[in-house]
Amino acid sequence: MLTVDFNRLPVGPGDRVLDLGAGGGRHAFEVLRRGADVVAFDMDATEMESVAAMFAAMGKEGEVPAGATGDTVVGDALDMPFPDASFDRIIAAEVLEHIPDDMAAMREIVRVLKPGGRAAITVPSFLPERICWALSEDYHTAPGGHIRIYTLAELQAKLKASGLEVGGHHYAHGLHSPYWWIKCAVGVNDDRHPLAKAYHELLVWDIMKRPLATRLAEAVLNPLIGKSVVVYVRKPA
């Protein structure tokens, strides 16, 4: 399940791409399939071990174009172990809402991005996130959880203040917001609740099959209740 639109953030052979806060690696895997060199970066060493194993499996299955590489690095988004101007593209998907000093993280993104380089920054969008916070205290008080709710204007202003040129934006995962509202209402950790379980099965089916009906529904829902907002930025040359 991709949040970033790779038509808006094109990557390919010759590009060096950082997936900041890579988590399970969903965007890193897509970048590698497109033939770019990708570094999956996260503070969770266990997650990075799983991503490295998947990179290796993809190579064995012939899913990696010739010359493309996938690496993993464990570290802190506020002090990344990369030289200045290391990457052509950066993806920071659902990361900044977890970081107390989000402006410091943005400055690190600017530092390691090459002049003229582009990035995609995604965070939970305001309305769906605000409903989740209202429905469940556990949703936003768990250790390592979300510590802020961004408005689009705030996110864009902070990115501009960090030295980035802000381009277009879009919303994603409109079908996923009701699932999280259900989870917050019945218990964030209660995956066995019949309603939450049924909706989760619907989402898995949609991800696997991508039928026209749900694609059309999501296209309508995304601008209204898209779970994530994606902002595309550029570092001035």
Side-chain angles (χ1 to χ4, degrees):
M1 182 188 71
L2 299 176
T3 306
V4 171
D5 181 351
F6 284 97
N7 291 320
R8 299 194 188 205
L9 187 78
V11 301
D15 290 328
R16 189 163 189 247
V17 183
L18 174 66
D19 186 2
L20 172 59
R26 59 198 173 101
H27 288 105
F29 302 145
E30 180 64 21
V31 169
L32 188 59
R33 289 188 187 100
R34 290 171 178 261
D37 299 322
V38 62
V39 176
F41 181 85
D42 201 284
M43 66 188 305
D44 189 326
T46 301
E47 289 271 38
M48 291 301 91
E49 289 176 3
S50 297
V51 171
M54 181 59 75
F55 283 158
M58 290 171 64
K60 290 180 181 179
E61 292 298 318
E63 296 182 31
V64 180
T69 61
D71 296 312
T72 59
V73 176
V74 177
D76 186 343
L78 301 185
D79 186 22
M80 291 190 281
F82 308 115
D84 296 354
S86 294
F87 297 96
D88 302 286
R89 302 283 187 268
I90 295 177
I91 297 168
E94 313 298 295
V95 176
L96 295 176
E97 69 274 11
H98 297 273
I99 300 175
D101 192 350
D102 59 340
M103 291 290 290
M106 292 179 196
R107 289 191 293 270
E108 271 291 270
I109 289 171
V110 174
R111 182 183 69 80
V112 302
L113 186 60
K114 292 180 181 179
R118 298 179 182 276
I121 313 295
T122 96
V123 299
S125 54
F126 179 81
L127 178 60
E129 186 75 349
R130 186 67 190 87
I131 293 173
C132 286
W133 282 45
L135 289 171
S136 172
E137 184 176 349
D138 291 339
Y139 175 83
H140 64 93
T141 58
H146 300 180
I147 62 171
R148 71 175 59 81
I149 304 175
Y150 288 100
T151 64
L152 175 60
E154 177 192 0
L155 178 61
Q156 291 173 324
K158 286 185 172 182
L159 291 168
K160 288 178 183 177
S162 300
L164 293 165
E165 297 173 350
V166 174
H169 71 275
H170 65 85
Y171 295 89
H173 311 316
L175 289 175
H176 289 246
S177 291
Y179 171 69
W180 283 102
W181 297 339
I182 292 168
K183 288 272 286 179
C184 288
V186 304
V188 173
N189 298 313
D190 187 0
D191 294 327
R192 295 176 298 177
H193 189 281
L195 191 55
K197 185 177 180 181
Y199 202 106
H200 182 264
E201 290 173 355
L202 170 65
L203 292 178
V204 171
W205 172 78
D206 174 59
I207 290 168
M208 298 300 294
K209 301 296 185 181
R210 297 303 292 155
L212 178 60
T214 57
R215 280 185 283 136
L216 291 174
E218 189 151 79
V220 172
L221 291 173
N222 279 346
L224 303 173
I225 58 169
K227 186 70 169 68
S228 299
V229 60
V230 190
V231 177
Y232 297 90
V233 297
R234 177 180 178 273
K235 181 175 177 178

